[in-house]
Amino acid sequence: MRDATELGASLYLPATRLDLLDVVRGERLSEVRSVIFCTEDSVRLKDLSFAIDNLRAPIRALTSASHQMRFIRVRNPEVMRQVLALPGIEKLDGFVLPKVTRSALSKYLRLLRGTGHLIMPTLETKEVFDEREMIALRRVMDKDGVRERVLSLRIGGNDLLSIIGMRRPRGRTLYETSLGQVIARLVTTFKPSGFNLSAPVFEYLNDIETLQREVEGDLAHGLIGKTAIHPDQVPLIHACYRVHASDLEMASHILREDAPAVFRMYDSMCEPATHRNWARNLCKSASCFGLQQSADANSLAA
């Protein structure tokens, strides 16, 4: 079973692009951990038939040996039905489901019966602002046969802002807008039940400082994975996912069977009973993304 930590920065690619076969073969964008071939917002309705046909060769070329995870963002259940008929589709890791509500999810799940595909439902409708609806959606996803498919829940930041007539201001992270509270509530609604959430896109390509602050905010909220809209964003996002050596050392000590109930390390209180989940997740991140270079990591005394 693939782990959500492996997603890293997911890169959206319109399904109309003519280089998708090169991507699948690893000749382009091989450094990207997960790619999403999109048939939804990035494809005009008049180009939809071409987009689906354009996926035929890349889908046939998929191999299970690839380090890269591959998904298709379908436009609606009818597009999923057509895509599921493509030869080789069983090798696809899964589907990104747009604008998921309880009723929409049921339609997608009916189509996926008998397949092994993972899903990443996207939370981007007006129901997201209703806590009761999100709790009801969680109950649907928590059922046997559904939970196992849900790799991650994606938060559609731009769609949610659009619903309230806004666009993210330049120089502001999402956590400095009215969506900050919404994201925090989604985390507390879904994470305790074991569902991972991934972070929305950052749509400005010339503001590295704000993107870095936003990824730091993503991590502070427990969001794993972030959608990228350009390959240049991927290395920066992955750099933010690297783990400090001191944190990895603390996590390793916390996970030891003979760890004390409470101990001090790097001027932090470490308590395995409450920090074990953090330690496990941090070790996964270190395995996927490596260590940060910290100028003062070696100067801290245990």
Side-chain angles (χ1 to χ4, degrees), residues 24 34 99 106 164 166 255 265:
V24 166
S34 54
K99 298 175 176 57
S106 297
I164 56 177
M166 294 180 60
L255 294 175
M265 192 171 192

Side-chain angles (χ1 to χ4, degrees), residues 53-257:
D53 193 60
N54 193 47
L55 287 170
R56 290 183 179 275
I59 295 303
R60 280 198 302 267
L62 289 173
T63 65
S64 56
S66 175
H67 74 282
Q68 194 177 66
M69 300 181 74
R70 282 75 174 261
F71 300 87
I72 293 176
R73 184 189 191 189
V74 294
R75 195 182 193 99
N76 51 46
E78 172 57 24
V79 169
M80 175 180 275
R81 186 189 65 77
Q82 295 179 52
V83 170
L84 282 169
L86 297 178
I89 196 65
E90 69 279 358
K91 297 175 187 174
L92 187 77
D93 286 290
F95 294 94
V96 174
L97 310 181
K99 298 175 176 57
V100 165
T101 60
R102 282 184 286 165
S103 60
L105 181 61
S106 297
K107 295 176 183 177
Y108 287 120
L109 290 174
R110 281 197 292 272
L111 289 169
L112 289 171
R113 285 175 185 164
T115 76
H117 293 112
L118 301 172
I119 59 173
M120 292 196 285
T122 309
L123 307 176
E124 55 185 350
T125 66
K126 64 181 182 180
E127 285 82 0
V128 172
F129 298 98
D130 186 335
E131 185 175 6
R132 293 169 300 177
E133 274 296 320
M134 291 299 96
I135 292 172
L137 178 61
R138 183 190 67 199
R139 290 185 182 129
V140 172
M141 292 191 295
D142 209 16
K143 295 178 180 178
D144 290 342
V146 181
R147 165 178 278 280
E148 296 81 2
R149 288 190 187 271
V150 182
L151 179 64
S152 186
L153 305 176
R154 306 182 76 83
I155 301 174
N158 284 338
D159 282 85
L160 293 175
L161 284 172
S162 176
I163 290 169
I164 56 177
M166 294 180 60
R167 181 179 184 179
R168 170 216 302 272
R170 287 184 179 272
R172 300 285 184 91
T173 72
L174 279 178
Y175 305 102
E176 297 166 328
T177 72
S178 54
L179 281 194
Q181 296 179 4
V182 177
I183 293 174
R185 179 171 50 75
L186 290 174
V187 169
T188 56
T189 298
F190 289 101
K191 289 276 284 189
S193 296
F195 293 103
N196 178 66
L197 291 99
S198 59
V201 302
F202 182 84
E203 68 263 40
Y204 298 114
L205 297 176
N206 61 346
D207 189 352
I208 293 174
E209 187 274 334
T210 306
L211 171 57
Q212 183 172 344
R213 285 197 298 114
E214 179 156 301
V215 177
E216 291 169 355
D218 298 338
L219 293 172
H221 282 75
L223 304 184
I224 300 174
K226 188 173 184 69
T227 303
I229 58 171
H230 193 279
D232 288 348
Q233 292 182 330
V234 172
L236 189 145
I237 294 171
H238 285 177
C240 292
Y241 288 170
R242 293 182 189 135
V243 171
H244 287 288
S246 57
D247 286 339
L248 182 60
E249 187 178 358
M250 282 191 287
S252 299
H253 278 73
I254 287 168
L255 294 175
R256 285 171 52 171
E257 289 185 6

